[in-house]
Amino acid sequence: MSSVLDVVLSSAFLAAALRIATPYLLAAFGGLVAERAGISNIALEGQMLSAACTGALVAGYSGSVTVGALCGVAVATLLGVLLAALRLELGADAIIAGIGLNLLASGGTAYAVYSLLDDKGGTSGLKSGSLPTVTLPGVENMPVLGDVVSGQNMVTWLAFLAAPFVAWLFYRTRFGFHLRAVGEMPDAAASVGIAVRRVQYTGLALSGALAGLAGVFLSMGYVSFFVRDMTAGRGFIALAAVFLGGMRPWGVFLAALGFGAAEALAVQLGSLDVPPQLVSTIPYAMTLVALALYAWRRKRRGRVVPTAASL
């Protein structure tokens, strides 16, 4: 027990928790924006995976990390628009369409890597580079705090800034008001002149962009290469954080941060005398517990939180 406490209270664990929580935070905010627009974005996993693959490949061939990251985010944004088109123009079920996009991303990225690099595993043989880290002058030499926050990747800082940005977007802008109105009562929103479809397209595009940034971080921040199916269910866990957080920006922030801390704990415990099979289940077990807690809390309050499936 003392060994576990030493791990949890160490600055290395706290720094790892922030780093590992980054993709969860960005993908969860992407899922939150989509839910508020009235369309569940089950394709978060595929958007992250596509962005991770595109970013690594473009950065490797162009020699520019910035170009690679932008292209990765752009591809995920287009997938968000495609999901909106499938739902709004063709009347497809958002859940089924999202699953289809996830399968397309999984197979498409593997095919692209194999076609370009003749490698079925990933892009480890391609020098794609990494996004820069941020060093804070005057903070990096401070005990504990310097080890935790200084030297984090720039995308990690963007992920933490996403919380106040989304909160501001939802509650301080006209677009945020329209987005929430469309997600809750689209017919009423249309009756007062709100362009429902345009708002939903914009919301799904923003959702894809946030998921894309999460994917880019995985292949160009967390590591410096792409590995097949490297998202490993993070998109689905991020979606669980949306509901656990009550579909509110700061609630989603805390939920995603908790999932990141759970995965960081699993990584840190791997160095101790703990069965690896047990350690690897920690993030997924926490997801199940969190969803059960959400269902219990919703039942106790006696109200149903509106989702895209109920609209």
Side-chain angles (χ1 to χ4, degrees):
M1 179 63 70
S2 60
S3 299
V4 175
L5 289 177
D6 290 340
V7 168
V8 173
L9 297 177
S10 67
S11 59
F13 169 76
L14 296 177
L18 297 184
R19 182 174 65 255
I20 293 174
T22 298
Y24 290 114
L25 287 167
L26 290 168
F29 284 124
L32 174 60
V33 172
E35 286 291 337
R36 285 297 196 177
I39 301 176
S40 292
N41 189 358
I42 302 298
L44 289 172
E45 184 86 358
Q47 290 167 347
M48 293 171 65
L49 193 62
S50 299
C53 181
T54 302
L57 288 174
V58 173
Y61 280 105
S62 68
S64 173
V65 174
T66 302
V67 173
L70 291 176
C71 288
V73 173
V75 167
T77 302
L78 290 176
L79 286 178
V81 174
L82 177 58
L83 176 62
L86 290 173
R87 177 69 182 94
L88 300 175
E89 308 301 335
L90 301 180
D93 183 271
I95 305 298
I96 297 176
I99 293 174
L101 290 178
N102 288 335
L103 295 174
L104 176 64
S106 179
T109 53
Y111 176 76
V113 170
Y114 180 73
S115 298
L116 294 173
L117 303 176
D118 196 26
D119 189 337
K120 295 182 179 180
T123 65
S124 57
L126 184 67
K127 295 181 180 180
S128 56
S130 300
L131 291 165
T133 57
V134 178
T135 301
L136 302 177
V139 176
E140 58 179 329
N141 296 324
M142 296 178 63
V144 181
L145 183 62
D147 295 333
V148 173
V149 300
S150 187
Q152 293 283 0
N153 192 275
M154 63 173 293
V155 181
T156 299
W157 288 98
L158 292 177
F160 280 84
L161 290 175
F165 167 75
V166 172
W168 169 81
L169 181 72
F170 281 178
Y171 305 114
R172 293 291 185 269
T173 68
R174 176 176 295 182
F175 172 76
F177 173 78
H178 289 176
L179 186 75
R180 291 184 291 119
V182 166
E184 293 176 8
M185 302 184 70
D187 292 335
S191 68
V192 295
I194 297 176
V196 173
R197 290 198 174 191
R198 184 174 65 187
V199 171
Q200 289 179 315
Y201 268 107
T202 305
L204 266 293
L206 178 58
S207 174
L210 289 168
L213 192 57
V216 164
F217 173 78
L218 288 177
S219 64
M220 303 174 66
Y222 193 68
V223 294
S224 58
F225 52 86
F226 172 78
V227 177
R228 182 175 181 178
D229 293 329
M230 70 185 306
T231 48
R234 288 181 176 87
F236 298 111
I237 295 177
L239 197 60
V242 174
F243 296 102
L244 180 62
M247 292 201 297
R248 297 180 180 276
W250 292 107
V252 171
F253 173 82
L254 293 176
L257 194 61
F259 286 129
E263 184 176 338
L265 179 62
V267 173
Q268 295 293 321
L269 290 180
S271 61
L272 302 179
D273 188 18
V274 180
Q277 296 84 359
L278 177 62
V279 169
S280 63
T281 64
I282 291 177
Y284 306 104
M286 181 177 176
T287 303
L288 294 176
V289 171
L291 289 176
L293 177 63
Y294 166 75
W296 172 80
R297 186 178 62 181
R298 188 177 67 173
K299 182 178 180 180
R300 185 180 181 184
R301 290 181 177 179
R303 65 183 180 88
V304 177
V305 177
T307 63
S310 64
L311 296 177

